[in-house]
Amino acid sequence: LRRARVLKAPSGRFPAWVHVMERDPIHWYRSLVVDAGSDRGVSLNDPVLGPRDGRLVAVGRVVDVRPNTSTVLLLTDELSAAAAYLSSGTLEGLVQGQDGPRLRMNYLNAESQLSEGASVYTSPTSATFPPDVLIGRVARVNPRDPFLTFQSVEIVPAADASSLQELMILRARPVEGEAKPPAYVPVFAPISTSTATAGVVTSTATVSRPRRRSAAPAPEKTPEAPADAAFEAVDPAAAQ
């Protein structure tokens, strides 16, 4: 989790780390409750991400806000949907929940050749999520239906619904007196090794990007680290 905290929030968004408080055991793949509400600037439809193998992945969105808690609708809920694209960068579709452990991606070009193992990322056209956030990987290519004009695939979500404990809410506004975070740099590869000294996280991660144009980061007063060092923090002693 400490490695995931090194990630920066998208430009114009304000991250808030929250804890999962409550889950419905009967509807495990639908929603959960977290310990942050309007008191921390959370609002409806704020996107929610979670740490997974040293990176942040798509989890869901806020659908109910109370003074001290919020309800997050998971991507696996049948009412959830998100515009997405395959790692080839040429095919877009709509990822939808199925009230189960897997997702379904519909509306893929009927003539395209699809393969298992391809990564699925949020699209720049998504109304909820920032672009290029990992959703999951293709587990199965469904047989073509001659009566449909598109193909579909089944996806294993990157966020494991059974292990969600701490999440990041990307708020549209901060609480009063809160500083604006640095611009967002998406990361697509897990950290290979890392060490933590004096509260500083250092990593030797290598990053691979899908061939997809993402939104340019907003200019900042302080220089940003390059994309390939999104998980690296400079040791002040080594810099002298």
Side-chain angles (χ1 to χ4, degrees):
L1 178 61
R2 286 189 300 174
R3 289 180 290 176
R5 288 180 186 271
V6 179
L7 286 176
K8 301 172 183 179
S11 177
R13 287 284 180 171
F14 300 83
W17 285 98
V18 299
H19 294 84
V20 175
M21 293 178 56
E22 178 184 330
R23 305 197 60 168
D24 186 344
I26 299 178
H27 305 294
W28 193 254
Y29 296 99
R30 291 188 179 180
S31 63
L32 48 81
V33 178
V34 298
D35 62 350
S38 56
D39 60 329
R40 295 184 59 187
V42 178
S43 56
L44 288 176
N45 293 318
D46 283 348
V48 181
L49 310 181
R52 177 73 175 182
D53 296 331
R55 55 186 166 186
L56 290 175
V57 300
V59 171
R61 62 185 175 92
V62 175
V63 293
D64 181 59
V65 180
R66 300 189 178 188
N68 304 108
T69 63
S70 298
T71 301
V72 176
L73 186 72
L74 301 176
L75 274 176
T76 47
D77 186 275
E78 64 179 355
L79 299 179
S80 287
Y85 68 91
L86 295 175
S87 52
S88 62
T90 58
L91 292 176
E92 291 209 9
L94 187 68
V95 172
Q96 297 174 289
Q98 302 186 90
D99 270 351
R102 290 191 175 184
L103 304 169
R104 185 183 181 96
M105 188 174 186
N106 292 314
Y107 309 116
L108 296 169
N109 190 303
E111 304 302 322
S112 299
Q113 295 297 320
L114 306 176
S115 59
E116 297 178 3
S119 298
V120 182
Y121 298 93
T122 57
S123 170
T125 61
S126 173
T128 301
F129 294 97
D132 307 323
V133 177
L134 180 66
I135 293 177
R137 301 187 185 280
V138 175
R140 178 175 180 265
V141 178
N142 294 323
R144 297 191 184 187
D145 188 330
F147 297 101
L148 296 178
T149 59
F150 60 86
Q151 296 186 75
S152 66
V153 297
E154 298 221 354
I155 299 170
V156 174
D160 183 1
S162 64
S163 62
L164 296 175
Q165 297 180 356
E166 295 188 78
L167 305 173
M168 176 191 279
I169 297 179
L170 300 179
R171 300 165 299 167
R173 59 183 176 84
V175 294
E176 185 176 355
E178 184 174 317
K180 182 178 179 180
Y184 172 66
V185 179
V187 174
F188 303 97
I191 290 180
S192 54
T193 60
S194 66
T195 58
T197 58
V200 178
V201 179
T202 305
S203 170
T204 58
T206 57
V207 177
S208 60
R209 294 177 177 275
R211 293 176 293 176
R212 179 82 188 183
R213 184 177 63 186
S214 59
E220 297 294 327
K221 293 182 180 180
T222 57
E224 292 181 21
D228 287 342
F231 279 112
E232 297 185 6
V234 177
D235 187 345
Q240 295 180 351

